[in-house]
Amino acid sequence: MRKVYLDHASGTPIHPQVREEMLPYLKEIFGNPSSLHQFGQESASAIEKARQRVAGLIGAEPEEIIFTGNGSEANNFALKGIALAHQKRGKHLIVSSIEHFSVLHSAKTLEKWGFKVTYLPVDQYGLVDPLKVARAMTEETILVSIMHANNEIGTIEPIEEISRVVRKRKVYFHTDAIATTGIIPLDVGELGVDCLSLSADQFYGPKGVGALFLRKGTRIMPYLEGGIQEDGRRAGTENVPGIVGLGKAAELAKKEMEKRRRHLFFLRKKLINELPRRIEHLRINGHPKLRLPNNVHVCIEFIEGESMLMLLDSQGIATSSGSACTSRALKVSHVLTAIGVPAAVAQGSLLFSLGTDNSEEDIDYLLETLPSVVQRLREMSPLYKK
């Protein structure tokens, strides 16, 4: 049976060169980076090399990169750390209604701690209006957090425009760029953000390692305490192999980005063009132009996404119905609700997230397989009438 992996948004395979670079740090180079002897300093040098590579990918300075355990930790760190560090100035935050749950849940926790949070609505494509950001800000606003691109529907937000609005009020600006870093070009200077979250497993690095860009001079409350690591801002012995892998993945992403994007654009275009021709009552979600090159998110009416996932998996095709962090919850996506998709339609959602390892033959196989899966399920559905 042919096997096709179309769930890269939940995690990408490790690039062979990334794996090769990590291996010595899983074997002979094992020293604690905080140790002063040569074993420790060898590990410490590897971390600093990785820091330079990650900084180079996003246009930052090496000292502005803080390594974390994953992207969700980076998001938690940004919201809670900046809010707590600046609460004497104000206790109001602004986030969009379609943020990842690591942002939304952090915001809910901050509300329990006495902060006020404004949840901005989005339009039918998932776009945040910069004017609504401006209107939502008050004298108490200390932080705005808007994701660079939505991890489910793929819409890329107008971060540079929002940044100009936020900077006028001298408010800190965070963006969750986990869905975009290493996939599309980005520069923290051009985006105008004060902090940015990223994760290695989105661009062919290892799982369990991420980073937070924190602009020089931005105060933040340490997220983990008990050690001097990461300049005292994130305690705990570093995941040296993971950090080395993140650094190499960043270097390769910067080098190969244009080639990867062209390949993904081609596959995405074919899928978006062909799916509506082969399946009736199919809706493509997200912005038609301002979207990630590896993202195709659809809703197929009269059937459930979970059933489609299971039948596709039986045919060797791995995909998802939305965010991997909520895929087991079996609830309607808050993102689809926010863009106005009716609950009954949202139940039939599928996310095809493409990768550099996918071929045109993979897309052809999906296009051959999915219509029969849909037909089979619709024949069993009491909602479907021909």
Side-chain angles (χ1 to χ4, degrees), residues 28-33 35-44:
E28 61 266 22
I29 306 176
F30 56 85
N32 188 314
S35 299
L36 297 178
H37 49 62
Q38 60 182 333
F39 294 92
Q41 291 309 294
E42 194 170 9
S43 294

Side-chain angles (χ1 to χ4, degrees), residues 1-271:
M1 181 191 299
R2 185 183 186 93
K3 290 191 175 182
V4 177
Y5 184 73
L6 297 172
D7 194 19
H8 292 82
S10 70
T12 54
I14 294 181
H15 194 293
Q17 292 184 47
V18 171
R19 184 170 60 246
E20 183 179 350
E21 188 134 342
M22 291 173 64
L23 282 176
Y25 299 90
L26 293 166
K27 296 183 190 177
E28 61 266 22
I29 306 176
F30 56 85
N32 188 314
S34 297
S35 299
L36 297 178
H37 49 62
Q38 60 182 333
F39 294 92
Q41 291 309 294
E42 194 170 9
S43 294
S45 295
I47 289 176
E48 294 315 307
K49 182 179 179 180
R51 203 183 305 277
Q52 292 174 1
R53 286 171 161 177
V54 174
L57 176 63
I58 64 173
E61 297 296 325
E63 60 267 28
E64 295 176 318
I65 302 300
I66 305 170
F67 291 117
T68 64
N70 48 55
S72 288
E73 181 191 325
N75 281 338
N76 273 259
F77 189 9
L79 265 73
K80 296 173 184 174
I82 289 181
L84 292 173
H86 298 273
Q87 59 183 316
K88 289 183 179 179
R89 175 181 155 188
K91 302 188 76 171
H92 178 238
L93 291 80
I94 299 171
V95 302
S96 85
S97 58
I98 62 168
E99 298 295 314
H100 188 270
F101 278 140
S102 56
V103 168
L104 292 176
H105 288 179
S106 293
K108 292 293 184 183
T109 295
L110 286 166
E111 285 184 298
K112 294 177 183 177
W113 293 350
F115 289 82
K116 294 182 179 179
V117 181
T118 297
Y119 299 90
L120 290 178
V122 294
D123 69 11
Q124 61 181 323
Y125 301 118
L127 283 174
V128 175
D129 185 347
L131 290 177
K132 290 184 178 179
V133 176
R135 295 188 192 113
M137 285 195 288
T138 72
E139 294 300 318
E140 288 282 309
T141 307
I142 54 174
L143 177 65
V144 173
S145 181
I146 306 294
M147 64 198 329
H148 191 196
N150 186 266
N151 54 301
E152 291 187 42
I153 60 175
T155 296
I156 299 173
E157 301 292 346
I159 296 299
E160 293 180 37
E161 294 177 50
I162 296 171
S163 171
R164 287 193 287 272
V165 169
V166 174
R167 281 182 174 274
K168 286 181 180 178
R169 300 291 290 270
K170 297 182 179 180
V171 171
Y172 290 107
F173 188 21
H174 164 255
T175 189
D176 170 359
I178 293 167
T180 56
T181 304
I183 298 172
I184 62 175
L186 65 86
D187 183 285
V188 292
E190 294 177 1
L191 290 177
V193 296
D194 299 294
C195 43
L196 175 149
S197 305
L198 61 91
S199 180
D201 65 355
Q202 296 298 294
F203 52 99
Y204 309 97
K207 294 173 178 61
V209 61
L212 179 70
F213 156 76
L214 186 70
R215 189 172 298 283
K216 198 181 303 182
T218 303
R219 287 192 302 113
I220 193 167
M221 189 73 73
Y223 187 62
L224 294 176
E225 298 178 284
I228 61 171
Q229 293 87 354
E230 297 304 288
D231 199 24
R233 296 171 296 187
R234 202 268 188 183
T237 302
E238 299 92 338
N239 172 11
V240 180
I243 290 171
V244 168
L246 169 56
K248 184 62 177 180
E251 180 187 61
L252 291 169
K254 185 175 181 180
K255 179 181 177 182
E256 300 176 1
M257 189 172 294
E258 284 308 310
K259 179 181 177 182
R260 293 180 184 181
R261 288 173 70 211
R262 285 195 300 270
H263 179 64
L264 294 172
F265 276 131
F266 171 75
L267 298 181
R268 189 194 71 181
K269 182 178 179 180
K270 181 167 187 173
L271 198 50

